[in-house]
Amino acid sequence: MKNYIKTDEWSIIEEGFDPALNKISESIFSLGNGRMGQRANFEETYTGETLPGNYIAGVYYPDKTRVGWWKNGYPEYFAKVLNAANWIGINIRIDNETLDLNTCTVTNFRRVLNMREGILQRSFTGELKNGKQVQVNSLRFCSLADDEAGAIRYSIKALNFDGIISITPFIDGDVKNQDSNYDEKFWDEVQKETGHDTGFLTLKTKKTGFEVCTGMKVDLFLNGDKIKFISKSVEKKKYCGFDILVPVVINQTLEIYKYAANLSSENHPKEHLLKNCKNVIEKIALKGFDAMRKEQADAWAKKWEYGDIVIDGDVSAQQAIRFNIFQLNQTYTGQDARLNIGPKGFTGEKYGGSTYWDTEAYCVPFYLATADAQVTKNLLIYRYNHLAKAIENAAKLGFKNGAALYPMVTMNGEECHNEWEITFEEIHRNGAIAFAIFNYIRYTGDGAYLQEYGLEVLIAISRFWAQRITWSDNRRQYVMLGVTGPNEYENNVNNNWYTSKMANWCLGYTIEALSTVEKADSVIFKQLLSKVEFNYKEETNHWQNIIDHLYLPEDKEFGIFLQQDGYLDKEQTLVKDLAATDRPLNQKWSWDRILRSCYIKQADVLQGLYFFEDEFNIETLARNYNFYEPRTVHESSLSPCVHCILAAKLGHGDKAYEFYLRTARLDLDDYNNDTEDGCHITSMAGTWMSVVEGFAGMRIRNGTLTFSPFLPEKWISFAFNISFRGCVFNIKITRGSVIITNQSLTSAEVFVYNKCYDIGPNEMIEAPYGAPK
Amino acid sequence: MKNYIKTDEWSIIEEGFDPALNKISESIFSLGNGRMGQRANFEETYTGETLPGNYIAGVYYPDKTRVGWWKNGYPEYFAKVLNAANWIGINIRIDNETLDLNTCTVTNFRRVLNMREGILQRSFTGELKNGKQVQVNSLRFCSLADDEAGAIRYSIKALNFDGIISITPFIDGDVKNQDSNYDEKFWDEVQKETGHDTGFLTLKTKKTGFEVCTGMKVDLFLNGDKIKFISKSVEKKKYCGFDILVPVVINQTLEIYKYAANLSSENHPKEHLLKNCKNVIEKIALKGFDAMRKEQADAWAKKWEYGDIVIDGDVSAQQAIRFNIFQLNQTYTGQDARLNIGPKGFTGEKYGGSTYWDTEAYCVPFYLATADAQVTKNLLIYRYNHLAKAIENAAKLGFKNGAALYPMVTMNGEECHNEWEITFEEIHRNGAIAFAIFNYIRYTGDGAYLQEYGLEVLIAISRFWAQRITWSDNRRQYVMLGVTGPNEYENNVNNNWYTSKMANWCLGYTIEALSTVEKADSVIFKQLLSKVEFNYKEETNHWQNIIDHLYLPEDKEFGIFLQQDGYLDKEQTLVKDLAATDRPLNQKWSWDRILRSCYIKQADVLQGLYFFEDEFNIETLARNYNFYEPRTVHESSLSPCVHCILAAKLGHGDKAYEFYLRTARLDLDDYNNDTEDGCHITSMAGTWMSVVEGFAGMRIRNGTLTFSPFLPEKWISFAFNISFRGCVFNIKITRGSVIITNQSLTSAEVFVYNKCYDIGPNEMIEAPYGAPK
């Protein structure tokens, strides 16, 4: 846990340079625009500890799997997001000494991430070993308005000398992934060219053959006047740049404008990459830095208009929630159904930048409520497009007849994970993908999604469950053997309640969806069934039979759903009785000890109660919450949010707030000592959920927004915007009232504490705060 | 499955050279003497497919662990047997063309492993590209009489030319392990020197710092006359050798005698290694090849005198059983308690050459019956010497108070394995180590072993069980959660009957052993308890409480012990109904599918019934055998022997013979297509057990040898020697009678089909064949 980030409502601020914190800051101050992103590395040379990171969405490398003991069925490779060409680089030499924060004396260092406008600023005074002092101000962004483009303004003022500043703007593609399994480099050079003020480098990924052309153009200003310059090209392997010498006198300021673009063969024909990149570079350089910066601010203003949360009375919480929303919007913009949300976004390499069930379980609710429906729809279509691969994946594991098992971790639809207890057994992910379809339709009302895409996915998933669930002669019931639930501190268990419940729900929802589509369009319905060779009667009968006879373990004595067979055979101790020296368990205990214990990593039974809350009464929720939460160590960043929401529902406001705090500043305060690897992007959606579904108690019921808010004691008020079926609502919760403004042109019904309010266009209602007794 | 080895009672024979079989033959024709060993690589250059292998017992390298996903508690390294300096090498050039079976035309190739004398012979005619033809005969051995020494006689006859044969005898230490995790070389050079006819190379292992000095001396004979020669030294990195040019005329034969020695710092002070190696080389060169060869034949004759099995009427079975006995004796001679039995012995790298529970469960019975008691005692002392490490290992996993968990795989007592479901959970190995103590004392009558070594080990093991077993409030019984039984096709199961039964027995045996030692010597007893800080009353009370209330799952309906909780919830199908295309499961099915199935890799419940057979009546055995065997795929080479023994006991002679056949020629016929990696040394002990405990029904009951033989239909008779408490018995089973000869000087009681016979010194008894009805 660190505490060096200065609080501010709209900015993330670091003051003073501490090299030991640099990799953490590189993560926190990361930039992205959904198409590309980068860690907050320095433009100039830095020989201290750094994790260089530039990433291009959708461009990956299949790194050969590394395991100790191969298990049949393991994938051959792990698809990794690539550390791509560094396009921010500008080497600076002052009278032949390199400017390097690792070797010069640094004062007045300040790094600011302006979240309102999506801009990274940095300033410092450096004194080199040769005594020369410079004042540096840099400002850069990845353009949200033009997501192939980025720009930098880097200014150097000669504080105490006349001399030569030599600068080398460059693109360096000779980079590596830190997590390369066999210490390989993943890029080959295709082409490079250096002009007087431009450079273009095209690289191609090994094996996958993605090509990315990175271009740059440089303008120089001295004391505000554009200057001409002579440049000398510098070309090395996978590197292009040029040296420029600029004589300066004391107090003069040299400004370097570096315009850059990354174009990938995912969006351009390979043969036009270079040409198109040149066009983009020409266009943005012509547009100019200030115009680009204005576009950037405007684009971010729109994001905030939809998705902001305003907290009054707690600047630290305000900063934290905006940071979470900001990073989510940097990571995924929903314009491209081939892209998804890596657990670290563009802030690091870890977890390969691949897609997990985090997307469906945690991110979908965020994007549903803060963006156009198309954004979430693209997340769903991403899985639809991977259906054939999911069917292949299941076939590899012995499943037949078009059954689909979506991968635990994927880039292009193929499984990348290689731990048998996860890869093969943590199959509840299939359920989350079905649930996201349900959730999307529930939220948006876009029922047509079923016949367009959803039903096919649901059928394939249900076919999987129908084979994965087997009949036990012994129990005279269906059982689901050998699974790992969301609580990964149990492996290879039988009849995990969550997974079985999820499967059961999937089967039922698919039967319902079949009937919905049949009613909506019987021609399309028939085409669809014929496409997937669906034997309606036989398959749905079998599914119904499973629904009716699936074993869902319960314990009558405790009145709880049982996490899995045998859970109560464990020694029943509570987290509060664990010694501090034993925490976190995953660092202090051996794996078998964790597995044998009753301790729970993250919501498991409770995750099911969260998803299917309407099926259970409040007493059932309370019994299960009271049993499981005290056994839960919350050693996943995805755990607290679900508990926060349930605690809020159960009226445990303090506890809910406590859960909220656990993730709100997870990265800002480097809570788990791992922020240097990157930020926990997907868990940020959970923090958002904590506020909106937890504190504000937002739900969709029968196509209507409902709220049961509570206001954490420490706050004066909080407010947020919600995009719902074409309307935007602003909801503000104060100590006295719940104020809802309908910012759209149609009137809408909204429930507050189960009371219905009709809100006209651009009207506001004010409901009393607090649930009626 | 291959079928290229010619059958012969005493020899393994390969005729004709097939490069595709070379790596298999390199394994099968391996040599060893317990201290060092080697694959049957060629002396001369070979550029075809080969796995070079020279190994020095007890000299290992801790290779950095390679895993996909680190689990807390994993060991940092995997100790590997090292591919050591090649001391057999003799490069041959005929008029400047290298003799290489990969490039010349080979005829009359014949490779013979003379098992009676422990000698590897090879002969062939080679025609080089330059048209020169040579006849080569080589003969070599690792001396059993002098286990640091080896010798080679390599003769070349010029068949069709006058010319120059240039030879380069060398020692090459610039070798690698094929299974090196990070492609490292494990040896550094310490010293080398080349004399006129000698070479010495000392290498040191990285990290572990073992030093091995390898020496050689060469004599040359032309047409039977020793010749003088001029040599020119050749030194490279980790390599020493010398070139000799010998002019020959047609039909002359050049004989190269190469004497070699490997001395390790395990047995010599490092500073004397070179000097001592020179002494050994001087000594054996002086002794001469023929004298060494005679010693070798004599030493092997002694091994056969104790341990031979003679099968009449089936040459293939005869060859197979002798091959198994031969390899076991090559691998372990029992003279050094620091050594143990790697699953591949000196025949390959796989499984790291480390120690597994195979030793206690399968090898101990073999060495007990075919060698002096000290041999097995050394195997036991090996574990005694590792007790402190086993206690450390348990402490790493959270166990306290001197509890010991012996490693799954080890070289020096530290755990090397890194699969959580095995490393942390396949804990029944602890029981096998306790059982071996019991078995040793039962066989040898050496009760003093308990107070000398055994009790301390038993206490530490019982302390482990007492903590690993936990109380279940739910069941009101003790349970053992999260284990993997011998059937590794189930992972992380609860209440594996075998493991729990084993633990229960351990606790009881330790209580009994405490009382035995107390009675035998109360002073030593007190010292011992004080040494291990044993709280007699409290600890034994707790143990007894576990013994009395441990949950051992049974199914009343089937009348069987239940492999584990939930086993009957699986779909109950039988191996006979599996499609051939699904076999072997471990190659055809994904791991989760194997885990969910009811199929059993190797004896699990039945392993327990084998160990504790006297506790169960024949009907119980039959019910369990009839239930479990049809569900067993025998995909471990350790599986068939236990089933053979039980089938024999149940009177299923045909089935028993079928099981015997599955492992008897496992390597000779390359049954599993993996002999090229090395031979299955430890399973060879299982084959021996099949004959002696299975067919001959040998048991020790109340300190007496008992037999209930049956003779496989295909055989005319079989006979074997058994060493038992100072006596050697020869047992011969024919269709008509069981003939037992007491080859010793004291009379002894022996039971045949439960009838007691008293056999005087050097007397013979003849019992009728067949159990009385």
Side-chain angles (χ1 to χ4, degrees), chain A residues 60-63 77-81 351-354 409-412 416:
Chain A
Y60 61 89
Y61 177 79
D63 203 11
Y77 67 81
F78 193 106
K80 284 185 173 160
V81 70
Y351 303 109
S354 301
V409 179
T410 193
M411 198 66 90
N412 66 348
C416 287

Side-chain angles (χ1 to χ4, degrees), chain A residues 37-39 41-46 50 52-56 82-91 140 152 168-176 187 201 203 214-216 238-240 258 260-262:
Chain A
Q38 58 185 199
R39 291 169 57 82
N41 306 130
F42 299 156
E43 288 86 359
E44 74 280 357
T45 297
Y46 182 61
T50 175
N54 288 278
Y55 312 102
I56 312 289
L82 287 164
N83 186 17
N86 165 10
W87 59 262
I88 64 165
I90 308 174
N91 279 351
R140 77 172 190 251
I152 305 170
T168 310
F170 65 87
I171 300 168
D172 182 7
D174 195 22
V175 293
K176 261 206 332 199
W187 294 99
L201 173 70
L203 299 173
T214 305
M216 65 169 173
K238 298 186 245 179
Y239 175 106
C240 65
K258 186 175 182 187
N262 282 299

Side-chain angles (χ1 to χ4, degrees), chain A residues 680-712:
Chain A
H680 300 76
I681 300 297
T682 50
S683 101
M684 292 177 177
T687 309
W688 178 91
M689 283 161 68
S690 296
V691 175
V692 174
E693 300 188 18
F695 301 163
M698 183 177 96
R699 300 289 189 279
I700 310 303
R701 293 223 169 76
N702 307 315
T704 309
L705 275 173
T706 75
F707 298 90
S708 307
F710 97 93
L711 179 63

Side-chain angles (χ1 to χ4, degrees), chain B residues 525-576:
Chain B
F525 181 69
K526 272 184 200 139
Q527 284 167 351
L528 230 159
L529 295 205
S530 142
K531 179 180 174 192
V532 302
E533 297 177 31
F534 194 71
N535 187 327
Y536 192 98
K537 199 170 161 197
E538 192 183 300
E539 296 197 51
T540 57
N541 278 352
H542 181 208
W543 297 355
Q544 191 58 51
N545 197 20
I546 293 173
I547 294 170
D548 295 341
H549 300 100
L550 181 61
Y551 168 54
L552 290 161
E554 288 187 42
D555 184 79
K556 299 285 179 203
E557 201 180 315
F558 288 101
I560 55 168
F561 302 115
L562 207 53
Q563 189 178 273
Q564 79 249 6
D565 279 0
Y567 181 78
L568 289 177
D569 283 352
K570 292 165 181 271
E571 286 184 310
Q572 295 297 327
T573 47
L574 302 184
V575 174
K576 70 176 171 54

Side-chain angles (χ1 to χ4, degrees), chain A residues 139 141 151-153 257 259 287-294:
Chain A
L139 192 154
F141 53 89
I152 305 170
R153 187 182 68 202
Y257 288 87
Y259 301 95
K287 185 184 289 173
F289 187 84
D290 293 332
M292 282 181 78
R293 184 178 169 176
K294 169 131 199 346

Side-chain angles (χ1 to χ4, degrees), chain A residues 66 68-69 71-72 417-421 468 472 474-475 481 491-492 569 587 589 591 595-596, chain B residues 66 68-69 71-72 417-421 468 472 474-475 491-492 569 587 589 591 595-596:
Chain A
R66 191 178 71 185
W69 302 91
K71 303 280 191 193
N72 218 24
H417 200 74
N418 52 26
E419 266 179 312
W420 64 265
E421 62 275 19
R468 190 58 164 73
S472 163
N474 187 48
R475 284 193 186 273
L481 306 179
N491 291 157
N492 193 38
D569 282 353
Q587 283 171 32
W589 282 14
W591 188 245
L595 290 180
R596 286 197 305 281
Chain B
R66 190 178 71 185
W69 302 90
K71 303 280 190 192
N72 219 22
H417 200 75
N418 52 25
E419 268 179 311
W420 63 265
E421 62 275 19
R468 190 57 163 74
S472 163
N474 188 48
R475 284 193 187 273
N491 291 157
N492 194 37
D569 283 352
Q587 283 171 32
W589 283 14
W591 188 245
L595 290 180
R596 286 197 305 281

